[in-house]
Amino acid sequence: MLRFVADRDDLLNSRFALSPVTELENLLRKLTGRRRAALPPAWSARLTPAFQRLRAETALDAVLALQSDRYGAAFVVQPPASMAQTIDGDLAALRATPLAQARKEIADCLARSPTTDRKVLAVLNDEHAPKIMAEAMAAAWHELVAPDWPALRAVLERDVVYRGGLLSTGGWQAAFAGLHKRLAWRDGALELARLEDGTHHLEGAGMLLVPSVFVWPHIGAYTDPPWPRTLVYPARGTAALWDPGPATPPDALASLLGRSRARLLVSLSDPASTTQLATSLGMATGAVGDHLAVLRNAGLVTRARSGRSVLYRRTPLGDALTGDTP
């Protein structure tokens, strides 16, 4: 049992953040078969050829050599700073890793999962190993993740909005409750079953919570210094991303509102921004904005600012029309 002991300051300082490099690292795990839950066939067929080519043309195998079933090098996938984290920031942090820290984590990883691959060992023993691996990760990002990043980010942002709603109404206990089936809040501590044994005191720094699409259905944790205590958990809405069939409104609702506006209303089961809706539904951002204005004037949706985004959500009347009443 892994336990994170929290006090009042820890709850005040816990926060959400997004991590592009976490998505890349967990996608690589799926492509190598290290995740028991594989990619959907369509994703696998699309990404595997590029993945195999990257392994042949870059130092990506050195990155993969540091992965095992339950462990990985944190300096390669460092916890993010905020919701505005970018892949450029992630890779800059990797390049700037002190060599002593990189070598310590490389040794820990190889002790768990040794390799005899000379090409891989040459990279891992190089004094510029962090920079070499950053270049390989940059190439993998642009080929494997970047084209899908707007859709992935939309899923992650909607998850954070949903968790934020739970936090505002029920506190951190409510926000933690649905993160993962193996995670529970008991007696002032977060307990994570079947990961590793140990108790860690958050010491006022709080917990960093990072939603992920590709970590599904698993959960990950950062426990070792110098990295902040972090949980990487499966984002809500991942299943819809795997099978993005169009939101299908009832025929009667489509006849009343028009099919596009009905699809938008049905899709607002969770609050979302104009950009998130446009990405998930494959509609033009301008068209989504126009339809939302009509729905808002009709009293079916409302909007409120959340950070830098404006989020739309259904009103009780909108819930009633979609048949999604509490």
Side-chain angles (χ1 to χ4, degrees):
M1 177 76 70
L2 179 63
R3 300 180 77 245
F4 294 98
V5 181
D7 60 20
R8 180 177 177 275
D9 286 342
D10 291 309
L11 296 179
L12 290 173
N13 291 324
S14 293
R15 66 198 189 280
F16 292 91
L18 300 188
S19 175
V21 76
T22 292
E23 292 309 298
L24 173 58
E25 195 260 357
N26 280 292
L27 173 60
L28 295 175
R29 286 178 175 273
K30 286 186 179 294
L31 288 169
T32 57
R34 286 196 172 95
R35 288 290 189 224
R36 289 192 299 274
L39 286 170
W43 283 68
S44 181
R46 176 165 59 90
L47 297 178
T48 296
F51 172 65
Q52 296 296 349
R53 179 169 48 77
L54 286 163
R55 293 186 68 175
E57 296 177 356
T58 73
L60 190 59
D61 275 0
V63 175
L64 303 179
L66 302 182
Q67 297 177 344
S68 61
D69 288 346
R70 296 191 175 188
Y71 197 79
F75 80 91
V76 178
V77 190
Q78 298 182 24
S82 70
M83 290 291 294
Q85 188 78 14
T86 65
I87 190 61
D88 290 339
D90 287 328
L91 296 178
L94 169 53
R95 292 186 186 97
T97 303
L99 184 58
Q101 179 68 32
R103 284 184 168 163
K104 176 184 181 300
E105 293 192 27
I106 289 170
D108 289 343
C109 291
L110 293 182
R112 286 173 163 83
S113 182
T115 181
T116 58
D117 188 312
R118 292 184 179 181
K119 179 182 174 183
V120 166
L121 290 173
V123 172
L124 297 181
N125 291 326
D126 195 294
E127 63 178 332
H128 301 296
K131 294 180 180 178
I132 296 170
M133 286 189 279
E135 295 311 307
M137 292 287 275
W141 168 267
H142 288 296
E143 294 232 20
L144 301 176
V145 180
D148 296 305
W149 180 238
L152 295 169
R153 187 180 181 93
V155 171
L156 303 177
E157 288 178 339
R158 291 189 76 169
D159 177 273
V160 172
V161 170
Y162 171 78
R163 306 290 173 193
L166 294 179
L167 177 62
S168 66
T169 57
W172 278 110
Q173 185 170 0
F176 287 138
L179 285 182
H180 197 272
K181 62 183 179 181
R182 299 200 331 249
L183 187 70
W185 174 263
R186 293 190 185 92
D187 301 324
L190 274 175
E191 297 182 345
L192 185 55
R194 302 202 313 273
L195 193 62
E196 64 179 55
D197 292 329
T199 297
H200 302 270
H201 292 265
L202 299 180
E203 301 176 338
M207 177 70 74
L208 185 63
L209 301 168
V210 180
S212 170
V213 168
F214 292 120
V215 78
W216 178 89
H218 304 283
I219 187 169
Y222 290 73
T223 60
D224 297 330
W227 315 113
R229 306 289 197 255
T230 304
L231 284 177
V232 180
Y233 66 90
R236 294 174 79 252
T238 295
L241 182 68
W242 293 156
D243 184 15
T248 305
D251 289 341
L253 185 63
S255 297
L256 177 66
L257 300 177
R259 187 155 299 276
S260 294
R261 289 173 191 161
R263 285 181 68 205
L264 281 169
L265 194 62
V266 168
S267 295
L268 282 171
S269 53
D270 291 330
S273 69
T274 302
T275 302
Q276 291 166 356
L277 290 167
T279 300
S280 62
L281 295 176
M283 299 171 63
T285 303
V288 170
D290 291 342
H291 290 315
L292 287 171
V294 173
L295 294 173
R296 183 166 172 258
N297 289 336
L300 301 180
V301 302
T302 186
R303 67 180 182 183
R305 181 166 291 279
S306 176
R308 293 182 297 175
S309 299
V310 175
L311 301 178
Y312 290 82
R313 67 188 71 216
R314 288 196 304 243
T315 63
L317 177 58
D319 287 337
L321 280 178
T322 62
D324 188 11
T325 54

